[in-house]
Amino acid sequence: QLMYWSFLHRGRNGLEDVELLLGPPGASTSRVAISSPADAWYQYSGLYRTAADETVTRFALVSLSGQAEGNLVDSIVFAPVD
């Protein structure tokens, strides 16, 4: 199954880094590193193909840098492509 992912990201206190992890539980097979400044919202998107035997897929965002307040994220989409 081909999956579409998209989200908006904005640094809270200057440049902030986040990593998108995609894949089955316990084995993220796709990693996307993203950096966004605090001046505006930035949209990121892409495609992820699940494995034939993958019945559960995790979509996770992990903060890589920045202040303790965390990253700003909005408008998350994770949907199958018809």
Side-chain angles (χ1 to χ4, degrees), residues 57-79:
T57 302
R58 299 270 168 93
F59 177 105
L61 293 167
V62 178
S63 179
L64 297 177
S65 68
Q67 303 297 320
E69 293 88 14
N71 292 265
L72 299 172
V73 178
D74 200 1
S75 300
I76 296 172
V77 175
F78 189 58

Side-chain angles (χ1 to χ4, degrees), residues 10-35:
R10 180 177 184 160
R12 185 182 297 264
N13 297 307
L15 188 65
E16 305 252 357
D17 301 314
V18 68
E19 185 174 40
L20 169 64
L21 305 175
L22 294 162
S28 297
T29 57
S30 181
R31 295 173 176 256
V32 180
I34 292 163
S35 296

